[in-house]
């Protein structure tokens, strides 16, 4: 119960505070109920109930294409044994792939003309902690290439972030739309990544718990510019995008490759006179043994 | 030989016994391999990668004179001397990990989101006596 003065920032949870928490959990500095913020793996490891992980509540299975994308990201970021690869572009230590938790139908009043594929998406950010700082954010579209033979297409994507509507409706008004013009070859891409970092930075920095994004995505094949029903079938092939957040987790349990540990302990032997006499005392009979071992 | 001729009853020297005391302890403190797969823990439903994980562990006796060979602080020597000369109810120094390496994990969350995370201190890479 007595936390030594030397480490005031480490908090021990008193036994009577919350029976649900593991009996003793040293929390990272400045985090009172850090248990809830612990990343999933550490929650299970620190959970004292035997085999609690087996009775785990059923998990929603993610979209198979999103899963394939994240497995590919894992292979690029870590070795087979799970050791993070050290390369310059790899500044993140956390990547969240969020699937939209609500799709709203568009309000007729702000229907954008020529609107072939437009959705409002709600992304829940509850899992992103205040200690995770945003490095990059991407809307990730995947599409089924069997719908099209290989050819080039041109897409226009309108993205608008929405403020939380005070009336609590799921789909509030559209704000600050931004347009991306993309041109790419279908045969070479399974994914379209739309960088919305500058867009979401202020929202995530202000610790928003959810983000509404209205996306209007229209594509036409270059060779049939006027045949919009083809664009239509392409747009139907698009599944709602996932939101990718590349983060730098600054909490204690996250791996920070540029965070150097203190100098090794043994260097403190050098300037400690007591160490020499202790070593003498510890080695007095060893000295004799070592001498005879050398002779041998 | 002279000793033996003069008084044959003197104990004959067993040289191998004599030299045993100079060998390093057989089970000295060192890093040991341990490899598990998340399917053994039934976690493979939500831990997508890696499939296998080698946390390793430290085991063995701490030699009397740890010095900085183990990167031990001076206190380890003090504790050893207390155990040997003053009070053997004080435990000898223990063999524990001194350094770790991180682990990257890909997991599925209950709401279907997927997270790639790099955790600190998940694989022991070096042992010490403390």
């Amino acid at each position: 119960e007595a936390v030594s003065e030397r480490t005031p920032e480490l908090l021990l949870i008193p036994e009577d505070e919350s029976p649900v928490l593991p009996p003793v959990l040293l929390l990272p500095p400045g985090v009172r109920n850090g248990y809830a913020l612990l990343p999933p793996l550490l929650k299970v490891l620190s959970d004292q109930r035997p085999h609690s992980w087996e009775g785990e509540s059923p998990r929603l299975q993610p979209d198979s294409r999103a899963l394939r994308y994240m497995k590919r990201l894992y292979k690029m970021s870590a070795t087979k044994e799970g050791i993070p690869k050290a390369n310059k572009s790899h500044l993140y230590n956390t990547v969240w792939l969020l699937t939209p938790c609500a799709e709203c139908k568009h309000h007729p009043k702000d229907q954008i003309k020529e609107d072939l594929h437009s959705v409002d998406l709600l992304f829940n950010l509850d899992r992103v902690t205040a200690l995770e700082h945003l490095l990059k954010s991407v809307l990730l579209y995947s599409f089924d290439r069997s719908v099209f033979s290989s050819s080039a297409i041109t897409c226009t994507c309108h993205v608008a972030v929405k403020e939380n509507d005070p009336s609590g409706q799921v789909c509030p008004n559209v704000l600050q739309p931004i347009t991306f013009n993309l041109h790419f070859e279908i045969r070479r891409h399974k994914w379209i990544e739309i960088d919305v970092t500058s867009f979401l930075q202020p929202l995530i920095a202000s610790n928003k718990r959810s983000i509404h994004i209205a996306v209007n995505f229209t594509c036409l094949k270059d060779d049939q510019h006027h045949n919009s029903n083809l664009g239509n079938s392409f747009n139907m092939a698009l599944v709602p995008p996932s939101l990718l957040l590349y983060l730098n987790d600054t909490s204690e349990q996250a791996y920070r490759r540029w965070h150097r540990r203190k100098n090794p302990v043994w260097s403190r032997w050098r300037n400690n006179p007591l160490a020499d006499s202790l070593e003498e005392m510890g080695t007095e009979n060893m000295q004799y043994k070592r001498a005879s071992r050398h002779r041998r | 030989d002279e000793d033996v001729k003069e008084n044959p009853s003197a104990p004959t020297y067993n040289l191998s016994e004599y030299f045993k005391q100079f060998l390093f302890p057989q089970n000295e403190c060192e890093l040991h391999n341990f490899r598990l797969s998340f399917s053994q823990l039934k976690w493979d439903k939500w831990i997508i990668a890696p499939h296998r994980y080698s946390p390793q562990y430290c085991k063995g006796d701490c030699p009397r004179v740890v010095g900085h060979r183990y990167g031990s602080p001076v206190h380890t020597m003090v504790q050893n001397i207390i155990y040997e000369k003053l009070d053997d109810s004080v435990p000898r120094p223990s063999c524990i990990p001194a350094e770790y390496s991180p682990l990257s994990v890909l997991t599925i969350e209950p709401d279907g989101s997927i997270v790639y995370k790099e955790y600190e201190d998940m694989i022991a890479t070096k042992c010490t006596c403390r």
Side-chain angles (χ1 to χ4, degrees):
Chain A
E1 58 283 352
V3 178
S4 68
E5 278 56 49
R6 207 169 47 79
T7 56
E9 72 277 5
L10 281 185
L11 303 169
L12 292 174
I13 294 187
E15 296 301 320
D16 57 347
E17 175 137 322
S18 53
V20 178
L21 289 179
V24 170
L25 182 68
L26 288 183
L27 299 182
V31 176
R32 188 84 195 122
N33 275 324
Y35 182 72
L37 296 178
L38 280 180
L41 177 63
L42 300 193
K43 259 187 203 159
V44 174
L45 290 177
S46 57
D47 199 333
Q48 310 295 314
R49 289 166 297 156
H51 305 304
S52 60
W53 52 83
E54 285 171 5
E56 187 62 39
S57 56
R59 291 166 187 265
L60 291 177
Q61 279 312 306
D63 170 63
S64 58
R65 287 184 265 197
L67 196 51
R68 202 164 43 242
Y69 183 90
M70 288 301 276
K71 284 180 178 176
R72 183 171 145 263
L73 178 129
Y74 186 87
K75 283 195 187 107
M76 288 188 324
S77 310
T79 64
K80 219 165 179 202
E81 288 68 37
I83 308 294
K85 290 178 184 172
N87 56 42
K88 282 189 266 322
S89 61
H90 183 167
L91 297 178
Y92 54 86
N93 56 18
T94 301
V95 181
W96 280 99
L97 181 137
L98 303 173
T99 42
C101 49
E103 253 196 74
C104 321
K105 290 300 151 245
H106 230 25
H107 291 302
K109 65 175 169 38
D110 47 12
Q111 184 83 24
I112 302 173
K113 67 174 180 40
E114 266 282 298
D115 162 14
L116 292 173
H117 184 83
S118 162
V119 281
D120 273 2
L121 303 163
L122 177 70
F123 291 100
N124 183 335
L125 298 183
D126 276 341
R127 298 187 176 282
V128 182
T129 67
L131 295 172
E132 290 174 319
H133 302 158
L134 184 70
L135 297 173
K136 180 180 172 188
S137 174
V138 165
L139 269 181
L140 183 72
Y141 270 97
S142 67
F143 48 90
D144 181 353
R145 286 186 293 181
S146 60
V147 174
F148 279 82
S149 60
S150 60
S151 70
I153 53 174
T154 303
C155 296
T156 306
C157 177
H158 297 275
V159 179
V161 178
K162 313 184 136 210
E163 286 302 313
N164 273 336
D165 182 35
S167 64
Q169 279 176 45
V170 178
C171 300
N173 308 320
V174 180
L175 283 176
Q176 44 171 353
I178 188 167
T179 301
F180 297 84
N181 290 306
L182 314 150
H183 175 85
F184 56 94
E185 306 261 325
I186 272 210
R187 68 168 164 273
R188 294 178 38 215
H189 293 268
K190 270 192 289 193
W191 314 93
I192 304 173
E193 296 187 4
I194 299 174
D195 190 319
V196 289
T197 309
S198 53
F199 228 13
L200 301 190
Q201 190 88 41
L203 295 175
I204 292 188
S206 59
N207 215 4
K208 277 267 189 295
R209 291 297 84 203
S210 64
I211 286 188
H212 299 253
I213 301 182
V215 187
N216 174 288
F217 207 104
T218 51
C219 292
L220 291 176
K221 288 178 76 172
D222 287 4
D223 45 1
Q224 280 112 2
H225 233 286
H226 307 298
N227 178 352
S228 64
N229 64 345
L230 209 67
N232 206 352
S233 56
F234 173 84
N235 291 306
M236 288 311 115
L238 277 178
V239 295
S242 302
L243 181 63
L244 266 179
L245 302 176
Y246 291 83
L247 302 153
N248 166 31
D249 183 347
T250 57
S251 61
E252 286 295 298
Q253 66 265 358
Y255 171 53
R256 287 154 291 164
R257 46 183 48 80
W258 49 87
H259 178 71
R260 283 286 150 252
R261 289 291 174 93
K262 292 191 305 266
N263 60 332
V265 167
W266 58 267
S267 63
R268 291 181 234 142
W269 277 72
R270 274 198 300 270
N271 40 22
N272 178 338
L274 188 59
D276 302 338
S277 48
L278 280 165
E279 198 151 19
E280 277 312 306
M281 184 190 275
T283 58
E284 60 215 8
N285 44 354
M286 290 298 275
Q287 204 67 43
Y288 162 70
K289 287 181 180 174
R290 190 179 294 140
S292 59
R293 194 183 311 152
H294 285 318
R295 207 169 35 252
R296 180 168 42 99
Chain B
D1 288 353
E2 284 76 43
D3 297 355
V4 177
K5 280 178 199 140
E6 276 151 24
N7 51 340
S9 63
T12 56
Y13 261 89
N14 176 339
L15 279 183
S16 62
E17 276 311 308
Y18 175 71
F19 282 124
K20 255 186 198 152
Q21 60 186 311
F22 303 118
L23 295 177
F24 278 96
Q26 296 311 309
N27 53 356
E28 188 169 345
C29 171
E30 62 182 356
L31 190 68
H32 292 258
N33 268 328
F34 190 85
R35 197 180 171 90
L36 63 92
S37 67
F38 286 119
S39 54
Q40 288 171 280
L41 294 170
K42 298 188 175 59
W43 289 0
D44 51 329
K45 296 184 196 65
W46 59 283
I47 294 187
I48 309 300
H51 299 302
R52 277 174 305 285
Y53 164 39
S54 307
Q56 319 299 42
Y57 66 96
C58 295
K59 180 183 172 189
D61 294 335
C62 288
R64 292 189 68 256
V65 180
V66 282
H68 45 69
R69 185 165 59 140
Y70 274 96
S72 303
V74 179
H75 174 271
T76 310
M77 179 82 84
V78 173
Q79 183 167 336
N80 213 24
I81 287 174
I82 293 172
Y83 164 76
E84 285 187 356
K85 300 187 184 308
L86 304 178
D87 177 353
D88 62 8
S89 70
V90 170
R92 291 178 65 175
S94 308
C95 174
I96 58 170
E99 286 177 16
Y100 299 89
S101 70
L103 181 74
S104 296
V105 184
L106 187 64
T107 57
I108 296 179
E109 285 297 284
D111 63 354
S113 54
I114 308 169
V115 59
Y116 165 87
K117 211 146 181 68
E118 295 172 352
Y119 291 102
E120 190 79 280
D121 302 341
M122 291 290 283
I123 299 172
T125 55
K126 193 175 172 190
C127 298
T128 183
C129 288
R130 296 287 167 104

